[in-house]
Amino acid sequence: MTDFDPILLTLPSLAPSLAVEILPYGLTFHRVFVQADGRTHDIVIGPEDPRGHITQKYTNTIIGRYANRIPIGSHTIERNGVEAEVVAELNEGSRVSLHGGPVGFDSLCWTRLTPDTPPALFTEAELAHLPPLSVATSYGIFRLVSPDGDQGYPGTMSTEVLIALIPPVEQERKYVEPGQVAPSAEWDLGSILYVYRAKVDKGVTPVNLTQHWGFNLEASLKDGEDTLSVKNQNITIESDRIVARDADSLNIGNFIPVTSATEHLHEGQKIGDKYPKLGYGEYNTLSLSFSPFVPYRRYILIESFTDDYYAFAPRTVKIPKRFPISEFTPKLDLLKDVLIPSGTEDATRGDRPEPVVELSSDKSGLKLVFETNRMWNLIVYLPTLRSWGILLLSIFSLANSISEDGVMFYSNAWADPSKGARKKIHGGSGIKDHGDGYVPGTAAFLEFHDILAAFLDPANKDGNDTLLTSDEVYHNYVRCDVRFKQPAN
């Protein structure tokens, strides 16, 4: 098997409603097949030929060691008294290290683990929920070892990723004939789960992993240009602010409330309802309007250009994304709840948090519901000031005390149809640089990761700093429940 031979994962059924093709190259979701109402959909965009991912970068691949943008150069990092140096390498513009550097995890080959090379970062209790590796068809566990100094990051980091399909509970599905009223019930077709685990051998290193996948729930209908666009698809993001960034899309340490940039208030409406001139996302040109009586500095959006980071609103998250290695025992089980099948209203969620993003299509009837253990942390910060010789507690200023996780949303705004290829199932020829590639606005990229360059913000020290020491284990998951409601005739 080569790096570009797809590994097919399917649900245990003669006619599975959900299947994925995974490439070892970049741990890429090459295809995500959904079968519903007699149709087969591939709900992620991308090239027809698996080797097309070499040039159509960041299309459904993993991102690492560090997602999104950080400034280039040398950065001293410290967590719990452990120090190291990061030398971020240039690969975008003149100031930016993007997605882990010039040769990130997206460009490397991952190894699928077998009984002869078993997982080291998943416990006996967790593996007991899954079929034996020797007969696994609905999941795979993959490993990559990043050496000390790779792309300027310290420490040798071993990463293991579980990708699994979770069947739904048994449900009665009734399709209607043409002319009949469509039923109101939604059916669960199954769930896609990925779980990231990582461990560094010494010192401390930044880690911020994500999957850079781009969805289109209508493209496989091939019913005109409207179905190639995501503008008629509906999106909900449980966020009340986006990150303010400079002209190179680097985090400047503040937030823009969505109430003052309502095109970023996503409450189930169509993506195209308040579509920015250049699409989602965007570089932000900002005007500052600061008042000490608001919980964060207010920036006014002046001009927009690339992807947007939405910080999740406050919520309860019980599943840790980093835990002491002393807790990594054979009995540790962080998979039990995330493997619970969907499909019943009274099904327990266990410790799983509530969903944070939904993407749906009225035309195809498909819906994706995302959850993650990305969390929101509040570090109470009470600055002080001296007035007339008296030390006073000032008002709360959360401008530098809110540490959040969230999702990057990008609508494929910079797509160029003259470059790359569009899948045949999406109406393309599948031929590279044939002139019929994807156009702007043809995908909803949803990248769940920690806030941009969090380890550079002093307010995150020893908190949600995206740093991992050798006495900790990184644990992050995203689950996508796939649902279907028969469209109206």
Side-chain angles (χ1 to χ4, degrees):
M1 174 174 287
T2 72
D3 301 352
F4 296 96
D5 287 335
I7 297 170
L8 180 65
L9 304 179
T10 65
L11 289 177
S13 169
L14 293 176
S17 54
L18 188 60
V20 299
E21 286 185 354
I22 303 296
L23 304 181
Y25 179 85
L27 201 60
T28 302
F29 282 80
H30 182 53
R31 298 186 188 275
V32 177
F33 290 117
V34 179
Q35 294 196 33
D37 201 14
R39 294 179 179 269
T40 298
H41 302 263
D42 182 354
I43 61 171
V44 292
I45 69 162
E48 181 76 18
D49 182 353
R51 293 183 178 274
H53 288 280
I54 296 174
T55 52
Q56 286 181 243
K57 285 180 68 64
Y58 310 136
T59 307
N60 313 321
T61 61
I62 193 171
I63 299 297
R65 289 188 193 186
Y66 207 89
N68 222 283
R69 295 165 175 86
I70 63 175
I72 61 169
S74 182
H75 308 288
T76 299
I77 58 174
E78 184 265 328
R79 174 171 170 78
N80 296 335
V82 182
E83 287 192 4
E85 199 79 9
V86 177
V87 184
E89 298 183 9
L90 178 72
N91 65 330
E92 182 183 76
S94 60
R95 301 174 56 218
V96 174
S97 183
L98 174 66
H99 291 331
V103 185
F105 286 7
D106 65 290
S107 299
L108 301 173
C109 181
W110 291 68
T111 300
R112 187 177 188 180
L113 302 183
T114 68
D116 294 330
T117 56
L121 296 179
F122 290 88
T123 70
E124 292 179 15
E126 291 170 330
L127 295 175
H129 297 295
L130 304 168
L133 283 169
S134 58
V135 296
T137 58
S138 61
Y139 79 97
I141 300 178
F142 302 82
R143 177 185 292 155
L144 179 73
V145 178
S146 173
D148 185 15
D150 186 13
Q151 311 303 298
Y153 289 88
T156 296
M157 191 173 85
S158 179
T159 304
E160 292 181 2
V161 179
L162 165 67
I163 299 175
L165 300 182
I166 307 168
V169 298
E170 289 294 328
Q171 303 159 90
E172 183 182 10
R173 302 180 185 179
K174 293 183 178 179
Y175 293 96
V176 299
E177 299 297 328
Q180 293 180 324
V181 177
S184 59
E186 265 185 358
W187 304 324
D188 284 78
L189 303 181
S191 306
I192 304 168
L193 171 71
Y194 66 74
V195 181
Y196 297 143
R197 290 275 171 88
K199 177 78 176 66
V200 66
D201 68 332
K202 63 180 181 180
V204 60
T205 193
V207 57
N208 189 8
L209 305 177
T210 191
Q211 209 71 28
H212 201 287
W213 45 7
F215 298 94
N216 189 317
L217 304 184
E218 298 178 358
S220 297
L221 297 175
K222 294 185 285 191
D223 188 17
E225 291 300 314
D226 283 348
T227 57
L228 189 57
S229 170
V230 295
K231 292 182 182 180
N232 289 320
Q233 296 170 38
N234 314 302
I235 193 166
T236 298
I237 302 178
E238 298 293 341
S239 168
D240 56 4
R241 58 184 70 83
I242 61 174
V243 167
R245 292 171 293 148
D246 66 15
D248 289 311
S249 204
L250 293 169
N251 184 3
I252 61 174
N254 292 285
F255 302 93
I256 305 166
V258 295
T259 52
S260 66
T262 56
E263 67 271 27
H264 298 290
L265 185 61
H266 300 293
E267 298 179 312
Q269 70 270 35
K270 295 186 185 302
I271 291 173
D273 281 357
K274 296 182 180 180
Y275 201 72
K277 180 180 178 181
L278 297 176
Y280 298 99
E282 50 192 44
Y283 291 120
N284 301 314
T285 302
L286 304 166
S287 173
L288 175 62
S289 174
F290 174 62
S291 166
F293 298 98
V294 297
Y296 37 77
R297 290 178 173 87
R298 295 187 179 273
Y299 280 78
I300 301 170
L301 205 58
I302 303 298
E303 187 177 5
S304 301
F305 308 93
T306 188
D307 43 354
D308 299 296
Y309 185 86
Y310 293 80
F312 294 142
R315 63 198 185 104
T316 300
V317 178
K318 298 179 180 178
I319 300 175
K321 63 180 182 182
R322 179 177 51 193
F323 59 87
I325 198 168
S326 60
E327 296 179 6
F328 189 70
T329 67
K331 294 183 178 181
L332 177 74
D333 189 356
L334 296 178
L335 295 188
K336 173 174 63 73
D337 291 339
V338 300
L339 290 170
I340 294 173
S342 60
T344 58
E345 293 183 1
D346 58 349
T348 178
R349 297 187 64 86
D351 284 341
R352 288 165 48 204
E354 293 298 317
V356 286
V357 175
E358 288 188 4
L359 180 70
S360 65
S361 164
D362 299 329
K363 195 173 186 68
S364 70
L366 296 174
K367 176 189 284 188
L368 307 180
V369 181
F370 297 88
E371 67 178 69
T372 179
N373 64 330
R374 299 294 185 185
M375 65 185 69
W376 180 91
N377 297 318
L378 176 62
I379 305 168
V380 177
Y381 170 55
L382 280 172
T384 60
L385 54 87
R386 185 173 297 275
S387 176
W388 297 287
I390 301 174
L391 184 66
L392 301 174
L393 285 176
S394 77
I395 61 166
F396 281 94
S397 174
L398 303 185
N400 295 309
S401 62
I402 294 178
S403 176
E404 295 161 342
D405 296 347
V407 63
M408 212 80 187
F409 171 39
Y410 169 57
S411 64
N412 213 22
W414 294 106
D416 183 348
S418 68
K419 298 179 181 179
R422 190 200 324 169
K423 292 176 178 175
K424 293 179 181 179
I425 197 173
H426 295 162
S429 66
I431 302 172
K432 180 183 176 183
D433 300 341
H434 192 63
D436 63 346
Y438 294 96
V439 300
T442 49
F445 280 88
L446 296 168
E447 307 147 38
F448 297 85
H449 60 74
D450 291 279
I451 200 165
L452 285 67
F455 66 91
L456 296 179
D457 187 345
N460 296 330
K461 180 175 169 54
D462 294 334
N464 191 21
D465 52 17
T466 63
L467 297 177
L468 184 71
T469 64
S470 59
D471 58 0
E472 296 173 306
V473 178
Y474 177 86
H475 171 75
N476 166 235
Y477 86 90
V478 171
R479 171 169 159 157
C480 172
D481 292 342
V482 183
R483 298 176 181 170
F484 175 74
K485 178 180 179 181
Q486 190 170 2
N489 292 313

